[in-house]
Every structure is written in structure tokens, then in C-alpha cells.
């Protein structure tokens, strides 16, 4: 079956799965500049899982750029699979181009595990990966506190900072995050802060 291509009203494209990707303000600014200059080079990918509502699977930067540019429509390709396959596609469509981070892979895997109730073995089969590959990325995202994950999703801290904070116990991460935000720490400064805190006994007992 050939993929179905269509034009969709921008306001009709849902972003239910946007929280599985991490905002990158710099990359989004570049995308907006590119689309303003050259137009839309590749279609976004959408799924239609219920009530004929189109949910975005791939192309979140393109959609946000289109909204800022006041575009009415976007070229889209309709994804033929179900929700589980669509979430797997969020990884598989970006893995070769290295446009999805380890943390984002973890978010998608966590969603497949918790919302779609798949086992790690089932997720590994769906992604055509070894169970240990799935387990490592699930462990990474589940080590993060909710506060850190929210700041990552909103692009308020970058992925390297998030990875450093993940080394701390979950209960201690909000305190460290507050310091990182307050003093606008770089990734290197965050790494030094984490190493310092891990040496302090009081920072190693909160789960």
C-alpha cells in the first residue's frame, strides 16, 4: 500500500504526543527560518487513531514553525499503523538521522511501557532492538524527577544537563535543578555540581 499524502489545516493537527519529544529553542528557530525561506521541504507524519482526528507523530518543529509563521496548511503523510506502532515510529523515523536523543527515546519507551502496557520484551520486539537496549533507556528516564522531565520537555534545560541530574537520587534532583536554573549553569558546571553533591552524605539517601 502506497503512503497517503494530504494537506491538513494546521489547527486540525493534534499534539497529544508532543510531550514525548524535548523542545530545543535553537533548533526550532532554525526550522522557522528555513521554512520562512524555503517553504516546507518534507511532510509531517500524522496518524488517525480515533474519530478521524489527526495526531502528529513526526514533525513537531515543523508544526510549531508553521504556527508561528501563520500558515494555514501543512503537507502530511498519513501513518497506516496503530498507536503502539506510531510511538515506535517516533524513534525509528529519527534514529538514523540522530534527531532523537537518548532521553527522548526513554520517554517514548516509558510511554509504551506505562500507557500502552507493553513489557520490555514486547517493546524490544516492536523496535527491533535487544531488551537491554530498551532497559537502559527506560532506566535513564525513570531516574529523572518529574520536575526535571518537565523542564526538559519545555526546553528550559538541555539534554546534557538532564543526563547529569539523572545521576542524583530523584528526591534530590529538584534542589539541584533550582540551583542550575538560578545561576544559569552550563552543562560542565552542572556536572561539577552533581559530583560535589554526590560526595555529600545528605544528598544520597532521598529516593
Amino acid at each position: 500500500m502506497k503512503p497517503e499524502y494530504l494537506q491538513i489545516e494546521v489547527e486540525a493537527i493534534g499534539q497529544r504526543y508532543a510531550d514525548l519529544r524535548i523542545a530545543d529553542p535553537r533548533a526550532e528557530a532554525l526550522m522557522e527560518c528555513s521554512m520562512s525561506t524555503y517553504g516546507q521541504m518534507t511532510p509531517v507524519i500524522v496518524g488517525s487513531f480515533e474519530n478521524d482526528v489527526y495526531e502528529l507523530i513526526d514533525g513537531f518543529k515543523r508544526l510549531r514553525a508553521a504556527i508561528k509563521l501563520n500558515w494555514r496548511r501543512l503537507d502530511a503523510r498519513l501513518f497506516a499503523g496503530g498507536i503502539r506502532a506510531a510511538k515506535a515510529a517516533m524513534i525509528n523515523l529519527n534514529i538514523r538521522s540522530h534527531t532523537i536523543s537518548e532521553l527522548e527515546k526513554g520517554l517514548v519507551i516509558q510511554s509504551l511501557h506505562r500507557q500502552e502496557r507493553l513489557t520490555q520484551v514486547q517493546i524490544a520486539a516492536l523496535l527491533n532492538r535487544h531488551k537491554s537496549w530498551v532497559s537502559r533507556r527506560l532506566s535513564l528516564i525513570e531516574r529523572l524527577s518529574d520536575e526535571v522531565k518537565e523542564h526538559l520537555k519545555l526546553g528550559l534545560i538541555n539534554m546534557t544537563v538532564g543526563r547529569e541530574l539523572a545521576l542524583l537520587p530523584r528526591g534530590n534532583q529538584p534542589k539541584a535543578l533550582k540551583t542550575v536554573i538560578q545561576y544559569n549553569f552550563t552543562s560542565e558546571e552542572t556536572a561539577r555540581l552533581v559530583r560535589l553533591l554526590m560526595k555529600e552524605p545528605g544528598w544520597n539517601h532521598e529516593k
Side-chain angles (χ1 to χ4, degrees):
M1 181 184 296
K2 292 183 178 180
E4 182 180 348
Y5 291 90
L6 61 163
Q7 277 201 335
I8 305 179
E9 298 284 337
V10 167
E11 63 182 18
I13 301 176
Q15 298 190 61
R16 180 188 301 179
Y17 306 120
D19 63 350
L20 300 180
R21 301 302 303 269
I22 294 171
D24 182 341
R26 182 175 179 274
E28 292 193 3
L30 290 172
M31 177 60 72
E32 183 181 349
C33 180
S34 173
M35 288 177 61
S36 175
T37 305
Y38 304 109
Q40 183 183 359
M41 305 296 288
T42 54
V44 300
I45 298 177
V46 299
S48 182
F49 309 116
E50 55 186 28
N51 301 325
D52 295 324
V53 174
Y54 293 113
E55 290 291 343
L56 192 63
I57 297 170
D58 190 61
F60 292 94
K61 288 193 292 290
R62 277 164 280 169
L63 176 58
R64 285 194 277 265
I67 292 170
K68 290 181 178 179
L69 294 167
N70 294 315
W71 286 15
R72 290 185 58 194
R73 298 181 183 86
L74 277 174
D75 294 328
R77 178 161 67 88
L78 186 61
F79 183 78
I83 293 175
R84 292 174 175 179
K87 289 182 178 180
M90 294 178 76
I91 293 177
N92 292 331
L93 288 168
N94 292 283
I95 201 163
R96 288 187 178 180
S97 58
H98 305 289
T99 50
I100 185 167
S101 70
E102 296 302 296
L103 289 172
E104 290 172 308
K105 293 171 192 173
L107 287 169
V108 175
I109 289 168
Q110 184 184 55
S111 179
L112 285 167
H113 183 54
R114 293 195 174 185
Q115 277 73 55
E116 309 307 324
R117 302 192 179 282
L118 296 180
T119 67
Q120 292 187 36
V121 172
Q122 290 172 321
I123 296 169
L126 185 63
L127 295 172
N128 195 28
R129 295 280 174 170
H130 194 275
K131 178 180 177 292
S132 63
W133 187 92
V134 170
S135 180
R136 286 195 301 272
R137 285 150 185 84
L138 181 60
S139 175
L140 171 63
I141 203 65
E142 296 205 325
R143 289 200 307 269
L144 289 171
S145 71
D146 292 339
E147 292 91 336
V148 173
K149 281 192 283 190
E150 191 62 25
H151 276 70
L152 280 165
K153 291 174 185 178
L154 295 173
L156 301 175
I157 58 173
N158 64 43
M159 289 171 281
T160 306
V161 167
R163 192 178 296 112
E164 293 295 338
L165 292 173
L167 298 174
L168 293 170
R170 281 171 55 94
N172 296 135
Q173 291 173 27
K175 300 177 186 178
L177 174 64
K178 183 178 180 180
T179 300
V180 169
I181 297 296
Q182 181 177 356
Y183 296 103
N184 196 27
F185 276 7
T186 64
S187 300
E188 291 182 0
E189 289 168 334
T190 302
R192 288 197 293 270
L193 173 67
V194 168
R195 288 196 297 269
L196 177 64
L197 295 176
M198 290 179 70
K199 293 178 182 178
E200 296 293 329
W203 277 79
N204 290 297
H205 67 279
E206 295 187 36
K207 300 297 184 183

